[in-house]
Amino acid sequence: MDQATLADLLARCRAFRDARDWQRFHSAFNLIVSLNLEAAELLEFTQWQTEQGLAERLATEPDARQALAHECADVMMYLLMLSDAAGVDLYQSVIDKLAINETRYPVDKARGVSTKYRDL
């Protein structure tokens, strides 16, 4: 199956929402709350784990990897719906932010270091 575009994914999320008459629950405020709740569920994958332990678990346990994939999908769907509700072109926002980050983190200063841009 071909990879869907961001617009295709948004259209499918809208169709899912609209078929259930949920648009009234999808204010920017509610979507921000929901997005953060879903993102917090990603933290459950790290609870009581070491970094190496989590990497091994994801590499060897298909069920764990699938559960992570589902949580990532939840975050992505809420982010798409939030950007839609707020009138934000998510694709263009990513392009714009990458351009900003390219300036903030020039390769010659940022390569291989995790220093914040203001401290480079």
Side-chain angles (χ1 to χ4, degrees):
M1 184 166 110
D2 291 333
Q3 293 289 329
T5 67
L6 206 53
D8 294 333
L9 290 174
L10 177 56
R12 291 194 63 182
C13 288
R14 283 177 181 158
F16 179 87
R17 175 201 65 200
D18 294 347
R20 288 153 183 82
D21 191 26
W22 286 352
Q23 186 168 5
R24 62 185 140 169
F25 308 119
H26 284 201
S27 66
F29 179 91
N30 288 336
L31 290 166
I32 288 170
V33 170
S34 296
L35 172 62
N36 280 279
L37 291 170
E38 290 298 337
E41 289 184 21
L42 292 174
L43 286 172
E44 288 181 318
F45 286 90
T46 64
Q47 188 176 29
W48 318 122
Q49 301 270 327
T50 63
E51 190 171 343
Q52 181 181 357
L54 178 60
E56 289 173 8
R57 183 173 169 225
L58 293 174
T60 61
E61 296 179 27
D63 288 347
R65 201 169 38 257
Q66 184 64 49
L68 178 67
H70 286 168
E71 294 305 332
C72 288
D74 286 339
V75 169
M76 177 88 172
M77 289 185 292
Y78 275 117
L79 182 59
L80 283 170
M81 297 308 294
L82 170 59
S83 65
D84 188 45
V88 170
D89 180 337
L90 188 57
Y91 179 87
Q92 190 60 51
S93 296
V94 170
I95 298 301
D96 294 345
K97 185 63 177 188
L98 281 170
I100 291 167
N101 286 346
E102 286 171 350
T103 302
R104 288 181 172 173
Y105 296 97
V107 173
D108 63 320
K109 292 182 180 180
R111 185 172 176 82
V113 298
S114 61
T115 306
K116 185 79 173 176
Y117 67 90
R118 64 179 168 262
D119 298 325
L120 285 175

